[in-house]
Amino acid sequence: PLARLPFRVAARIWAAGSIVALGWLAISLLAIWRPGAPPKAVSVALLMLGLAVWPPTLHCLEKGQWSVWLAALSAAGFRAFEARRPRRAGALFGFAAALKLTPALVIGFLLARSHRAAAAMLAVIGGAALASLAILGPNAWRQLFAGLSGNTAAWAPWIANTASLDGVFARLLTNNLYAHPLV
């Protein structure tokens, strides 16, 4: 929906949404840390500030990345799972996985612990995939799969991706068109 807006407007809406997601993340993390006690506004504000000045979060806010939303959805999903609300947990994990594939790894945990949560997660992922197919058509999916190996080669060694162990490995040892190994 933001793609139809002028870039500056879309960027401002996305930035505001990311700040909202950062608040949601802070609330969820505090609720996980102290279950049963509603998070205090001062604690939420301090944790939000701490998260906002953390370099990976600053990078996500600067570049407009999905990671703040992924963290918020994942933390809220874990909170719902711990509160014994499996369908809500699965749906939240499913929305996270619909934005970026990495959270789909949670499905193994859910299959072992809660079939309802796993079913909800798979339903949300399937629904998102069908919605994108209906809106964008099959050519978008073909292009996605056709570009996977090239995108991986380009982005894995990118300097901002070295926050992960895979990124560090790629930056240190990868030799391709886009990067030369540091070692």
Side-chain angles (χ1 to χ4, degrees), residues 18-72:
S18 294
I19 298 301
V20 168
L22 197 61
W24 186 21
L25 173 61
I27 290 167
S28 294
L29 290 174
L30 289 168
I32 290 167
W33 184 35
R34 291 194 174 154
K40 296 179 182 175
V42 173
S43 299
V44 172
L46 287 173
L47 183 54
M48 271 185 76
L49 180 62
L51 289 170
V53 299
W54 187 37
T57 306
L58 283 173
H59 179 79
C60 290
L61 293 173
E62 176 193 15
K63 303 294 183 190
Q65 292 185 344
W66 297 98
S67 298
V68 175
W69 280 101
L70 293 178

Side-chain angles (χ1 to χ4, degrees), residues 63-89:
K63 303 294 183 190
Q65 292 185 344
W66 297 98
S67 298
V68 175
W69 280 101
L70 293 178
L73 286 162
S74 297
F78 182 77
R79 181 180 178 196
F81 188 82
E82 290 294 304
R84 301 191 193 290
R85 295 188 307 206
R87 288 190 181 105
R88 179 178 172 90

Side-chain angles (χ1 to χ4, degrees), residues 69-71 73-74 91-104 124:
W69 280 101
L70 293 178
L73 286 162
S74 297
L92 289 163
F93 288 133
F95 282 117
L99 294 177
K100 192 170 183 177
L101 193 55
T102 308
V124 168

Side-chain angles (χ1 to χ4, degrees), residues 146-168:
L148 282 177
S149 64
N151 289 336
T152 301
W155 289 104
W158 191 49
I159 196 70
N161 196 29
T162 57
S164 70
L165 291 176
D166 186 47
V168 170

